[in-house]
PDB file of all heavy atoms in Angstrom:
ATOM      1  N   GLN A  16     135.193 181.760 229.398  1.00  0.00           N
ATOM      2  CA  GLN A  16     133.823 181.951 228.888  1.00  0.00           C
ATOM      3  C   GLN A  16     132.893 180.907 229.360  1.00  0.00           C
ATOM      4  O   GLN A  16     131.724 181.180 229.698  1.00  0.00           O
ATOM      5  CB  GLN A  16     133.783 182.148 227.331  1.00  0.00           C
ATOM      6  CG  GLN A  16     134.531 183.411 226.823  1.00  0.00           C
ATOM      7  CD  GLN A  16     133.673 184.640 227.059  1.00  0.00           C
ATOM      8  OE1 GLN A  16     133.811 185.153 228.239  1.00  0.00           O
ATOM      9  NE2 GLN A  16     132.916 185.131 226.229  1.00  0.00           N
ATOM     10  N   ASN A  17     133.303 179.572 229.267  1.00  0.00           N
ATOM     11  CA  ASN A  17     132.543 178.607 229.708  1.00  0.00           C
ATOM     12  C   ASN A  17     132.214 178.710 231.151  1.00  0.00           C
ATOM     13  O   ASN A  17     131.087 178.451 231.683  1.00  0.00           O
ATOM     14  CB  ASN A  17     133.170 177.187 229.476  1.00  0.00           C
ATOM     15  CG  ASN A  17     133.287 176.807 228.006  1.00  0.00           C
ATOM     16  OD1 ASN A  17     132.457 177.396 227.159  1.00  0.00           O
ATOM     17  ND2 ASN A  17     134.199 175.951 227.611  1.00  0.00           N
ATOM     18  N   TRP A  18     133.171 179.062 232.039  1.00  0.00           N
ATOM     19  CA  TRP A  18     132.911 179.242 233.490  1.00  0.00           C
ATOM     20  C   TRP A  18     132.059 180.342 233.641  1.00  0.00           C
ATOM     21  O   TRP A  18     131.061 180.284 234.539  1.00  0.00           O
ATOM     22  CB  TRP A  18     134.312 179.537 234.136  1.00  0.00           C
ATOM     23  CG  TRP A  18     134.090 179.629 235.601  1.00  0.00           C
ATOM     24  CD1 TRP A  18     134.044 178.687 236.621  1.00  0.00           C
ATOM     25  CD2 TRP A  18     133.710 180.754 236.420  1.00  0.00           C
ATOM     26  NE1 TRP A  18     133.798 178.990 237.764  1.00  0.00           N
ATOM     27  CE2 TRP A  18     133.594 180.405 237.773  1.00  0.00           C
ATOM     28  CE3 TRP A  18     133.548 182.103 236.124  1.00  0.00           C
ATOM     29  CZ2 TRP A  18     133.355 181.256 238.781  1.00  0.00           C
ATOM     30  CZ3 TRP A  18     133.249 182.978 237.070  1.00  0.00           C
ATOM     31  CH2 TRP A  18     133.135 182.619 238.376  1.00  0.00           C
ATOM     32  N   LEU A  19     132.104 181.514 232.904  1.00  0.00           N
ATOM     33  CA  LEU A  19     131.307 182.639 233.091  1.00  0.00           C
ATOM     34  C   LEU A  19     129.800 182.190 232.779  1.00  0.00           C
ATOM     35  O   LEU A  19     128.854 182.551 233.498  1.00  0.00           O
ATOM     36  CB  LEU A  19     131.657 183.831 232.265  1.00  0.00           C
ATOM     37  CG  LEU A  19     133.033 184.506 232.526  1.00  0.00           C
ATOM     38  CD1 LEU A  19     133.384 185.303 231.443  1.00  0.00           C
ATOM     39  CD2 LEU A  19     132.852 185.233 233.830  1.00  0.00           C
ATOM     40  N   ALA A  20     129.660 181.546 231.647  1.00  0.00           N
ATOM     41  CA  ALA A  20     128.330 181.051 231.272  1.00  0.00           C
ATOM     42  C   ALA A  20     127.550 180.142 232.212  1.00  0.00           C
ATOM     43  O   ALA A  20     126.480 180.383 232.659  1.00  0.00           O
ATOM     44  CB  ALA A  20     128.301 180.402 229.923  1.00  0.00           C
ATOM     45  N   ALA A  21     128.431 179.230 232.804  1.00  0.00           N
ATOM     46  CA  ALA A  21     128.003 178.311 233.782  1.00  0.00           C
ATOM     47  C   ALA A  21     127.550 178.880 235.168  1.00  0.00           C
ATOM     48  O   ALA A  21     126.827 178.381 235.912  1.00  0.00           O
ATOM     49  CB  ALA A  21     128.975 177.164 234.029  1.00  0.00           C
ATOM     50  N   ASN A  22     128.188 180.127 235.408  1.00  0.00           N
ATOM     51  CA  ASN A  22     127.899 180.742 236.592  1.00  0.00           C
ATOM     52  C   ASN A  22     127.136 182.031 236.413  1.00  0.00           C
ATOM     53  O   ASN A  22     127.126 182.956 237.308  1.00  0.00           O
ATOM     54  CB  ASN A  22     129.261 181.040 237.281  1.00  0.00           C
ATOM     55  CG  ASN A  22     129.837 179.851 237.809  1.00  0.00           C
ATOM     56  OD1 ASN A  22     129.557 179.397 238.904  1.00  0.00           O
ATOM     57  ND2 ASN A  22     130.835 179.267 237.071  1.00  0.00           N
ATOM     58  N   ASP A  23     126.224 182.146 235.245  1.00  0.00           N
ATOM     59  CA  ASP A  23     125.487 183.168 235.028  1.00  0.00           C
ATOM     60  C   ASP A  23     126.089 184.558 235.064  1.00  0.00           C
ATOM     61  O   ASP A  23     125.467 185.585 235.595  1.00  0.00           O
ATOM     62  CB  ASP A  23     124.159 183.182 236.018  1.00  0.00           C
ATOM     63  CG  ASP A  23     123.327 181.879 235.769  1.00  0.00           C
ATOM     64  OD1 ASP A  23     123.174 181.450 234.684  1.00  0.00           O
ATOM     65  OD2 ASP A  23     122.936 181.365 236.714  1.00  0.00           O
ATOM     66  N   ARG A  24     127.295 184.560 234.539  1.00  0.00           N
ATOM     67  CA  ARG A  24     127.992 185.913 234.541  1.00  0.00           C
ATOM     68  C   ARG A  24     128.064 186.308 233.043  1.00  0.00           C
ATOM     69  O   ARG A  24     128.097 185.521 232.195  1.00  0.00           O
ATOM     70  CB  ARG A  24     129.390 185.756 235.095  1.00  0.00           C
ATOM     71  CG  ARG A  24     129.331 185.388 236.528  1.00  0.00           C
ATOM     72  CD  ARG A  24     130.428 185.948 237.375  1.00  0.00           C
ATOM     73  NE  ARG A  24     130.403 185.433 238.628  1.00  0.00           N
ATOM     74  CZ  ARG A  24     131.309 185.813 239.576  1.00  0.00           C
ATOM     75  NH1 ARG A  24     132.374 186.650 239.177  1.00  0.00           N
ATOM     76  NH2 ARG A  24     131.363 185.356 240.783  1.00  0.00           N
ATOM     77  N   PRO A  25     128.147 187.611 232.763  1.00  0.00           N
ATOM     78  CA  PRO A  25     128.181 188.153 231.382  1.00  0.00           C
ATOM     79  C   PRO A  25     129.544 187.723 230.596  1.00  0.00           C
ATOM     80  O   PRO A  25     130.497 187.604 231.249  1.00  0.00           O
ATOM     81  CB  PRO A  25     128.004 189.615 231.488  1.00  0.00           C
ATOM     82  CG  PRO A  25     128.444 189.951 232.953  1.00  0.00           C
ATOM     83  CD  PRO A  25     128.157 188.744 233.777  1.00  0.00           C
ATOM     84  N   SER A  26     129.242 187.575 229.339  1.00  0.00           N
ATOM     85  CA  SER A  26     130.496 187.244 228.454  1.00  0.00           C
ATOM     86  C   SER A  26     131.406 188.455 228.445  1.00  0.00           C
ATOM     87  O   SER A  26     131.019 189.617 228.734  1.00  0.00           O
ATOM     88  CB  SER A  26     129.964 186.987 227.086  1.00  0.00           C
ATOM     89  OG  SER A  26     130.996 186.725 226.148  1.00  0.00           O
ATOM     90  N   VAL A  27     132.581 188.090 228.110  1.00  0.00           N
ATOM     91  CA  VAL A  27     133.714 189.187 228.145  1.00  0.00           C
ATOM     92  C   VAL A  27     134.213 189.297 226.751  1.00  0.00           C
ATOM     93  O   VAL A  27     134.597 188.153 226.180  1.00  0.00           O
ATOM     94  CB  VAL A  27     134.816 188.833 229.127  1.00  0.00           C
ATOM     95  CG1 VAL A  27     135.928 189.766 228.975  1.00  0.00           C
ATOM     96  CG2 VAL A  27     134.238 188.723 230.526  1.00  0.00           C
ATOM     97  N   PRO A  28     134.358 190.434 226.071  1.00  0.00           N
ATOM     98  CA  PRO A  28     134.841 190.575 224.734  1.00  0.00           C
ATOM     99  C   PRO A  28     136.348 190.103 224.833  1.00  0.00           C
ATOM    100  O   PRO A  28     137.108 190.306 225.879  1.00  0.00           O
ATOM    101  CB  PRO A  28     134.754 191.975 224.484  1.00  0.00           C
ATOM    102  CG  PRO A  28     133.869 192.588 225.446  1.00  0.00           C
ATOM    103  CD  PRO A  28     133.818 191.730 226.673  1.00  0.00           C
ATOM    104  N   LEU A  29     136.839 189.526 223.794  1.00  0.00           N
ATOM    105  CA  LEU A  29     138.176 188.957 223.684  1.00  0.00           C
ATOM    106  C   LEU A  29     139.281 190.042 223.919  1.00  0.00           C
ATOM    107  O   LEU A  29     140.246 189.856 224.568  1.00  0.00           O
ATOM    108  CB  LEU A  29     138.410 188.299 222.295  1.00  0.00           C
ATOM    109  CG  LEU A  29     139.740 187.668 222.025  1.00  0.00           C
ATOM    110  CD1 LEU A  29     140.154 186.701 223.208  1.00  0.00           C
ATOM    111  CD2 LEU A  29     139.901 186.978 220.656  1.00  0.00           C
ATOM    112  N   GLY A  30     139.060 191.245 223.383  1.00  0.00           N
ATOM    113  CA  GLY A  30     139.970 192.312 223.561  1.00  0.00           C
ATOM    114  C   GLY A  30     140.129 192.664 225.013  1.00  0.00           C
ATOM    115  O   GLY A  30     141.172 192.899 225.463  1.00  0.00           O
ATOM    116  N   ALA A  31     138.954 192.827 225.693  1.00  0.00           N
ATOM    117  CA  ALA A  31     139.012 193.149 227.124  1.00  0.00           C
ATOM    118  C   ALA A  31     139.756 192.100 227.883  1.00  0.00           C
ATOM    119  O   ALA A  31     140.500 192.322 228.736  1.00  0.00           O
ATOM    120  CB  ALA A  31     137.631 193.412 227.625  1.00  0.00           C
ATOM    121  N   PHE A  32     139.549 190.768 227.447  1.00  0.00           N
ATOM    122  CA  PHE A  32     140.108 189.641 228.228  1.00  0.00           C
ATOM    123  C   PHE A  32     141.627 189.819 227.951  1.00  0.00           C
ATOM    124  O   PHE A  32     142.305 189.642 228.922  1.00  0.00           O
ATOM    125  CB  PHE A  32     139.623 188.310 227.515  1.00  0.00           C
ATOM    126  CG  PHE A  32     140.159 187.093 228.146  1.00  0.00           C
ATOM    127  CD1 PHE A  32     139.780 186.717 229.447  1.00  0.00           C
ATOM    128  CD2 PHE A  32     141.102 186.473 227.416  1.00  0.00           C
ATOM    129  CE1 PHE A  32     140.316 185.576 230.045  1.00  0.00           C
ATOM    130  CE2 PHE A  32     141.615 185.211 227.990  1.00  0.00           C
ATOM    131  CZ  PHE A  32     141.258 184.771 229.216  1.00  0.00           C
ATOM    132  N   THR A  33     142.176 189.961 226.823  1.00  0.00           N
ATOM    133  CA  THR A  33     143.580 189.965 226.542  1.00  0.00           C
ATOM    134  C   THR A  33     144.081 191.161 227.261  1.00  0.00           C
ATOM    135  O   THR A  33     145.265 191.016 227.888  1.00  0.00           O
ATOM    136  CB  THR A  33     143.749 190.055 225.009  1.00  0.00           C
ATOM    137  OG1 THR A  33     143.149 188.910 224.431  1.00  0.00           O
ATOM    138  CG2 THR A  33     145.305 189.988 224.679  1.00  0.00           C
ATOM    139  N   ARG A  34     143.544 192.361 227.060  1.00  0.00           N
ATOM    140  CA  ARG A  34     144.127 193.444 227.864  1.00  0.00           C
ATOM    141  C   ARG A  34     144.170 193.332 229.370  1.00  0.00           C
ATOM    142  O   ARG A  34     145.160 193.673 230.029  1.00  0.00           O
ATOM    143  CB  ARG A  34     143.344 194.823 227.531  1.00  0.00           C
ATOM    144  CG  ARG A  34     143.561 195.214 226.131  1.00  0.00           C
ATOM    145  CD  ARG A  34     142.885 196.635 225.805  1.00  0.00           C
ATOM    146  NE  ARG A  34     141.461 196.433 225.945  1.00  0.00           N
ATOM    147  CZ  ARG A  34     140.618 196.188 224.960  1.00  0.00           C
ATOM    148  NH1 ARG A  34     141.170 195.913 223.814  1.00  0.00           N
ATOM    149  NH2 ARG A  34     139.297 196.178 225.180  1.00  0.00           N
ATOM    150  N   THR A  35     143.116 192.535 229.930  1.00  0.00           N
ATOM    151  CA  THR A  35     143.137 192.353 231.213  1.00  0.00           C
ATOM    152  C   THR A  35     144.325 191.386 231.685  1.00  0.00           C
ATOM    153  O   THR A  35     144.996 191.436 232.789  1.00  0.00           O
ATOM    154  CB  THR A  35     141.704 191.732 231.778  1.00  0.00           C
ATOM    155  OG1 THR A  35     140.758 192.713 231.604  1.00  0.00           O
ATOM    156  CG2 THR A  35     141.769 191.380 233.359  1.00  0.00           C
ATOM    157  N   LEU A  36     144.425 190.225 230.941  1.00  0.00           N
ATOM    158  CA  LEU A  36     145.636 189.359 231.178  1.00  0.00           C
ATOM    159  C   LEU A  36     146.948 190.142 231.330  1.00  0.00           C
ATOM    160  O   LEU A  36     147.705 189.891 232.219  1.00  0.00           O
ATOM    161  CB  LEU A  36     145.771 188.375 229.990  1.00  0.00           C
ATOM    162  CG  LEU A  36     144.636 187.298 229.967  1.00  0.00           C
ATOM    163  CD1 LEU A  36     144.926 186.269 228.783  1.00  0.00           C
ATOM    164  CD2 LEU A  36     144.583 186.436 231.172  1.00  0.00           C
ATOM    165  N   ARG A  37     147.167 191.053 230.330  1.00  0.00           N
ATOM    166  CA  ARG A  37     148.433 191.825 230.464  1.00  0.00           C
ATOM    167  C   ARG A  37     148.370 192.771 231.561  1.00  0.00           C
ATOM    168  O   ARG A  37     149.518 192.858 232.192  1.00  0.00           O
ATOM    169  CB  ARG A  37     148.476 192.626 229.046  1.00  0.00           C
ATOM    170  CG  ARG A  37     148.715 191.725 227.802  1.00  0.00           C
ATOM    171  CD  ARG A  37     148.973 192.583 226.601  1.00  0.00           C
ATOM    172  NE  ARG A  37     148.901 191.938 225.519  1.00  0.00           N
ATOM    173  CZ  ARG A  37     148.184 192.219 224.348  1.00  0.00           C
ATOM    174  NH1 ARG A  37     147.537 193.335 224.399  1.00  0.00           N
ATOM    175  NH2 ARG A  37     148.050 191.397 223.375  1.00  0.00           N
ATOM    176  N   ALA A  38     147.294 193.370 231.942  1.00  0.00           N
ATOM    177  CA  ALA A  38     147.246 194.206 233.071  1.00  0.00           C
ATOM    178  C   ALA A  38     147.491 193.567 234.435  1.00  0.00           C
ATOM    179  O   ALA A  38     148.014 194.091 235.298  1.00  0.00           O
ATOM    180  CB  ALA A  38     145.992 195.016 233.138  1.00  0.00           C
ATOM    181  N   LEU A  39     147.201 192.150 234.338  1.00  0.00           N
ATOM    182  CA  LEU A  39     147.428 191.341 235.583  1.00  0.00           C
ATOM    183  C   LEU A  39     148.793 190.871 235.615  1.00  0.00           C
ATOM    184  O   LEU A  39     149.181 190.221 236.708  1.00  0.00           O
ATOM    185  CB  LEU A  39     146.493 190.123 235.523  1.00  0.00           C
ATOM    186  CG  LEU A  39     144.977 190.418 235.699  1.00  0.00           C
ATOM    187  CD1 LEU A  39     144.182 189.188 235.509  1.00  0.00           C
ATOM    188  CD2 LEU A  39     144.750 190.920 237.160  1.00  0.00           C
ATOM    189  N   GLY A  40     149.616 191.306 234.570  1.00  0.00           N
ATOM    190  CA  GLY A  40     151.094 190.907 234.623  1.00  0.00           C
ATOM    191  C   GLY A  40     151.411 189.687 233.887  1.00  0.00           C
ATOM    192  O   GLY A  40     152.573 189.313 233.979  1.00  0.00           O
ATOM    193  N   LEU A  41     150.477 189.081 233.252  1.00  0.00           N
ATOM    194  CA  LEU A  41     150.679 187.895 232.385  1.00  0.00           C
ATOM    195  C   LEU A  41     151.321 188.381 231.098  1.00  0.00           C
ATOM    196  O   LEU A  41     150.848 189.308 230.458  1.00  0.00           O
ATOM    197  CB  LEU A  41     149.576 187.107 232.200  1.00  0.00           C
ATOM    198  CG  LEU A  41     149.003 186.392 233.404  1.00  0.00           C
ATOM    199  CD1 LEU A  41     147.584 185.865 233.178  1.00  0.00           C
ATOM    200  CD2 LEU A  41     149.958 185.247 233.917  1.00  0.00           C
ATOM    201  N   ARG A  42     152.336 187.609 230.609  1.00  0.00           N
ATOM    202  CA  ARG A  42     153.010 188.020 229.361  1.00  0.00           C
ATOM    203  C   ARG A  42     152.321 187.312 228.215  1.00  0.00           C
ATOM    204  O   ARG A  42     151.943 186.091 228.275  1.00  0.00           O
ATOM    205  CB  ARG A  42     154.521 187.487 229.339  1.00  0.00           C
ATOM    206  CG  ARG A  42     155.237 188.093 228.190  1.00  0.00           C
ATOM    207  CD  ARG A  42     156.692 187.983 228.447  1.00  0.00           C
ATOM    208  NE  ARG A  42     157.099 186.523 228.534  1.00  0.00           N
ATOM    209  CZ  ARG A  42     157.518 185.708 227.478  1.00  0.00           C
ATOM    210  NH1 ARG A  42     157.423 186.332 226.255  1.00  0.00           N
ATOM    211  NH2 ARG A  42     157.869 184.573 227.560  1.00  0.00           N
ATOM    212  N   THR A  43     152.012 188.003 227.132  1.00  0.00           N
ATOM    213  CA  THR A  43     151.487 187.428 225.928  1.00  0.00           C
ATOM    214  C   THR A  43     152.341 187.659 224.800  1.00  0.00           C
ATOM    215  O   THR A  43     153.004 188.657 224.644  1.00  0.00           O
ATOM    216  CB  THR A  43     149.976 188.097 225.682  1.00  0.00           C
ATOM    217  OG1 THR A  43     150.128 189.486 225.449  1.00  0.00           O
ATOM    218  CG2 THR A  43     149.056 187.863 226.894  1.00  0.00           C
ATOM    219  N   ALA A  44     152.314 186.689 223.907  1.00  0.00           N
ATOM    220  CA  ALA A  44     153.130 186.804 222.705  1.00  0.00           C
ATOM    221  C   ALA A  44     152.654 185.728 221.700  1.00  0.00           C
ATOM    222  O   ALA A  44     152.235 184.638 221.971  1.00  0.00           O
ATOM    223  CB  ALA A  44     154.572 186.403 223.057  1.00  0.00           C
ATOM    224  N   ASN A  45     152.526 186.295 220.404  1.00  0.00           N
ATOM    225  CA  ASN A  45     152.096 185.443 219.274  1.00  0.00           C
ATOM    226  C   ASN A  45     150.777 184.734 219.546  1.00  0.00           C
ATOM    227  O   ASN A  45     150.780 183.446 219.407  1.00  0.00           O
ATOM    228  CB  ASN A  45     153.171 184.467 218.879  1.00  0.00           C
ATOM    229  CG  ASN A  45     154.454 185.148 218.423  1.00  0.00           C
ATOM    230  OD1 ASN A  45     154.476 186.172 217.880  1.00  0.00           O
ATOM    231  ND2 ASN A  45     155.605 184.622 218.864  1.00  0.00           N
ATOM    232  N   LYS A  46     149.765 185.395 220.067  1.00  0.00           N
ATOM    233  CA  LYS A  46     148.500 184.890 220.318  1.00  0.00           C
ATOM    234  C   LYS A  46     148.585 183.740 221.498  1.00  0.00           C
ATOM    235  O   LYS A  46     147.659 182.868 221.597  1.00  0.00           O
ATOM    236  CB  LYS A  46     147.898 184.261 219.067  1.00  0.00           C
ATOM    237  CG  LYS A  46     147.562 185.311 218.015  1.00  0.00           C
ATOM    238  CD  LYS A  46     146.991 184.650 216.775  1.00  0.00           C
ATOM    239  CE  LYS A  46     146.696 185.831 215.761  1.00  0.00           C
ATOM    240  NZ  LYS A  46     146.076 185.348 214.558  1.00  0.00           N
ATOM    241  N   HIS A  47     149.552 183.776 222.286  1.00  0.00           N
ATOM    242  CA  HIS A  47     149.632 182.907 223.471  1.00  0.00           C
ATOM    243  C   HIS A  47     149.891 183.664 224.715  1.00  0.00           C
ATOM    244  O   HIS A  47     150.212 184.885 224.781  1.00  0.00           O
ATOM    245  CB  HIS A  47     151.029 182.012 223.173  1.00  0.00           C
ATOM    246  CG  HIS A  47     150.796 180.968 222.172  1.00  0.00           C
ATOM    247  ND1 HIS A  47     150.704 181.163 220.760  1.00  0.00           N
ATOM    248  CD2 HIS A  47     150.536 179.606 222.318  1.00  0.00           C
ATOM    249  CE1 HIS A  47     150.565 180.131 220.119  1.00  0.00           C
ATOM    250  NE2 HIS A  47     150.385 179.105 220.968  1.00  0.00           N
TER     251      HIS A  47
END
């Protein structure tokens, strides 16, 4: 979010961020 703000890009909702991490193939578990 800090990078997005510093580069004049829109904020991303947390849910969209988390789903995108998973869709990119990153494993998530226990809020990590």
Side-chain angles (χ1 to χ4, degrees):
Q16 291 292 83
N17 289 342
W18 184 89
L19 293 171
N22 289 278
D23 296 321
R24 300 212 185 181
S26 179
V27 174
L29 180 57
F32 179 75
T33 303
R34 287 187 296 273
T35 301
L36 289 179
R37 290 185 196 133
L39 290 171
L41 294 167
R42 191 167 64 85
T43 60
N45 300 321
K46 299 182 182 179
H47 288 75

